Amino acid sequence: MDYTHIVIQMVSLFGIVLVGLVAAKKGLWPGDMNRKMSVFVLNVSMPALILASVMGDDLAFEHSEILHLLGIAAVNYFILIGVAWLVPHVWRVSVSRRGILQFMLAFGNVTFIGYPVVDAVFGPRAVFCASVLNLPSNLLMFTLGVSYIKGSPAGRSFRWSTLATPCMVASLVAIALALFKVPTPAPVANWFHLLGDMTVPCALLIIGASMSHIPWRDMLGNRFVYAAATLRLIVLPLLVLGVFRLCGFPEYASGIAVVLSAMPVATNGIMFCLQYDRDERVMTQGLFITTLFSVITIPLLSMLL
């Protein structure tokens, strides 16, 4: 594997984040642009990227591969949720920060950073694998994730509408297309690929613009944030990697899952904190620090795969 290529890709991705940050600071990115662009990415370009991942003669998947992916996804989230439950009790984190730490450990930014990263590192075939591995995310994030932030039982936070998001529907359709090996006409495939390719730059610009509203002092974080970032970016992926190696999962699929487990903190955490009146500063610091350090940790992790 060309590790220099991975480093260059990660630096390039973070460079686009910085472009978004500077553009927003200079007033070139209107205040409501983030919300509107996020709606476009989550409802149009991201689903197109997921569907494009199974369109093409060289992107065919065997049934056994999809079953392996679903099994890996189940084991992966079992590990993430288990660690998110265990660490705060061992660490004896204060009640006010316990739910925030649990969210930071359990949920990574797969949607906005994970897909672009695996696309850059593993190729377009990996985007479909990532979409299958990420299937539990929407359900768990809007049930367990919200319960972490609110400090209430997960069942009260569940809504069936969370299963009907465009990305979730696109993932299920992509699985069906892959399972039944449905051929896609070249013009249709090219259209989906062209539209889906907009996801990477748009998503990264959104992240950068979001950070422009955070004071520089707040982005530097504290010992709690750096410890959480170490767990999120290094300890968790290594634990997932060790378990997958012991289980004997296929290297390609498990490698993608390991990289996804090393993603920065999910951006939804900030929105949940604001919605339920929790300390969003810690979550924001965690998002910035993990996004910054992932430029280094993800290439290093790739060397171990």
Side-chain angles (χ1 to χ4, degrees):
M1 181 179 290
D2 186 357
Y3 305 117
T4 304
H5 170 72
I6 298 174
V7 173
I8 292 174
Q9 289 292 346
M10 289 303 303
V11 172
S12 299
L13 292 174
F14 192 73
I16 298 177
V17 172
L18 293 180
V19 169
L21 190 154
V22 174
K25 288 282 189 182
K26 296 296 184 180
L28 302 176
W29 190 277
D32 62 343
M33 179 69 78
N34 261 11
R35 181 183 61 82
K36 293 179 178 179
M37 189 66 76
S38 297
V39 172
F40 172 79
V41 169
L42 292 173
N43 291 278
V44 181
S45 68
M46 183 69 72
L49 179 67
I50 294 172
L51 290 171
S53 67
V54 294
M55 296 179 179
D57 295 334
D58 59 336
L59 299 177
F61 288 82
E62 299 296 331
H63 292 184
S64 58
E65 291 182 88
I66 298 176
L67 291 176
H68 276 129
L69 287 171
L70 293 174
I72 291 172
V75 174
N76 185 41
Y77 276 95
F78 179 82
I79 296 172
L80 296 179
I81 299 301
V83 171
W85 175 84
L86 179 63
V87 169
H89 290 83
V90 175
W91 194 356
R92 296 182 180 179
V93 178
S94 63
V95 176
S96 61
R97 288 184 171 181
R98 183 177 301 168
I100 293 175
L101 177 61
Q102 288 178 313
F103 187 95
M104 291 171 67
L105 294 177
F107 301 104
N109 197 348
V110 175
T111 302
F112 279 171
I113 296 184
Y115 290 152
V117 166
V118 298
D119 187 23
V121 175
F122 295 98
R125 183 182 177 87
V127 176
F128 171 73
C129 297
S131 69
V132 177
L133 293 169
N134 195 45
L135 278 175
S137 179
N138 281 344
L139 175 62
L140 293 174
M141 186 178 294
F142 286 91
T143 53
L144 276 176
V146 171
S147 72
Y148 289 155
I149 302 300
K150 293 176 61 177
S152 61
R156 297 179 184 176
S157 305
F158 176 75
R159 294 180 180 179
W160 286 103
S161 59
T162 61
L163 300 180
T165 61
C167 285
M168 177 69 81
V169 172
S171 298
L172 295 175
V173 172
I175 291 176
L177 293 175
L179 279 174
F180 297 105
K181 299 182 179 180
V182 179
T184 306
V188 176
N190 290 337
W191 185 85
F192 274 98
H193 279 282
L194 185 61
L195 183 59
D197 286 344
M198 299 175 63
T199 302
V200 176
C202 288
L204 297 175
L205 288 171
I206 290 170
I207 293 173
S210 298
M211 291 179 177
S212 67
H213 306 292
I214 308 170
W216 287 107
R217 289 182 181 179
D218 288 350
M219 286 194 284
L220 296 178
N222 50 46
R223 285 184 296 177
F224 173 83
V225 173
Y226 285 104
T230 302
L231 291 170
R232 172 77 248 181
L233 298 177
I234 299 175
V235 177
L236 262 176
L238 292 178
L239 176 61
V240 171
L241 175 60
V243 172
F244 286 176
R245 289 288 171 85
L246 289 174
C247 294
F249 288 135
E251 289 189 7
Y252 181 78
S254 62
I256 295 171
V258 171
V259 171
L260 292 179
S261 70
M263 289 299 110
V265 175
T267 54
N268 296 64
I270 297 176
M271 293 182 286
F272 290 158
C273 287
L274 293 172
Q275 182 177 353
Y276 299 111
D277 195 24
R278 295 295 186 267
D279 184 9
E280 77 278 3
R281 177 178 297 184
V282 175
M283 188 71 76
T284 302
Q285 291 170 339
L287 172 62
F288 176 76
I289 295 299
T290 53
T291 301
L292 176 62
F293 288 163
S294 67
V295 175
I296 301 172
T297 57
I298 289 177
L300 291 176
L301 178 64
S302 300
M303 296 174 64
L304 296 176
L305 298 177

